[in-house]
Amino acid sequence: LLPYHQPPRLIIIHATRSGIADHTLAQELQSTINWYASQSNAGNSHCIIGGDGTIYWTAELDKQAWGATYLNPVAMHIEVCQPVTIVPYTEEQYLSAAFATRLMCAMYNIPRLQAASEDYLGIIGHEQTQQGKSWRKTDPGIMWDWEHFMGML
């Protein structure tokens, strides 16, 4: 993974989304970890958050992860386990995502604000980025409670 050449200005929230509807959150986590274990997928995000809130750090925080193509040099990435769009996120996932976000914000002086677009500093959903829109990404999606999450920061 490449080092950041300038401090990141965005934190992008992603959902794992294997698309396997009968996956439990534990199965979704394991399949994501297995996918990341493939060398070609290593470092796809800085962390994965399991259904029980366990944070699995998958990339060094001073290195670029590969979660959103052209935004990687200016963004940090958090993956939250969710097999399909209708599975609700757990309170433990919100707590851990907030912890990881606060850590990243403190490290790089990223404001704890929801960014209006990728052109601003702050926190944004993958679906809200131009890359996410052009690739028809829907994460973290309608089940992600932004107001609840941002209130934890």
Side-chain angles (χ1 to χ4, degrees):
L1 298 178
L2 298 171
Y4 286 107
H5 297 294
Q6 60 186 2
R9 58 181 170 78
L10 282 172
I11 297 169
I12 302 175
I13 307 295
H14 301 262
T16 54
R17 301 274 175 80
S18 67
I20 302 172
D22 62 348
H23 255 189
T24 65
L25 289 173
Q27 290 169 318
E28 181 71 8
L29 171 65
Q30 191 58 57
S31 69
T32 303
I33 289 171
N34 292 346
W35 188 75
Y36 273 39
S38 160
Q39 189 131 39
S40 63
N41 296 316
N44 200 49
S45 71
H46 290 92
C47 65
I48 307 166
I49 299 176
D52 65 356
T54 302
I55 301 173
Y56 297 84
W57 296 100
T58 55
E60 296 172 55
L61 296 180
D62 62 345
K63 304 280 192 288
Q64 298 176 36
W66 306 337
T69 60
Y70 66 92
L71 288 172
N72 296 339
V74 298
M76 303 192 80
H77 304 277
I78 297 173
E79 286 274 0
V80 185
C81 283
Q82 186 195 40
V84 293
T85 59
I86 60 170
V87 172
Y89 295 99
T90 67
E91 186 65 13
E92 293 81 9
Q93 287 176 311
Y94 283 111
L95 289 167
S96 294
F99 172 82
T101 300
R102 287 191 306 270
L103 176 68
M104 293 172 182
C105 286
M107 280 186 71
Y108 290 107
N109 202 27
I110 300 170
R112 296 178 185 184
L113 302 170
Q114 190 171 1
S117 79
E118 65 191 46
D119 297 325
Y120 296 91
L121 282 72
I123 303 141
I124 193 167
H126 193 191
E127 66 194 343
Q128 298 164 306
T129 66
Q130 286 304 312
Q131 184 263 346
K133 290 174 185 175
S134 68
W135 290 17
R136 296 191 171 133
K137 296 292 185 175
T138 60
D139 56 313
I142 59 171
M143 298 302 282
W144 186 256
D145 185 340
W146 278 102
E147 185 175 338
H148 180 59
F149 173 67
M150 296 304 293
M152 296 177 154
L153 301 179

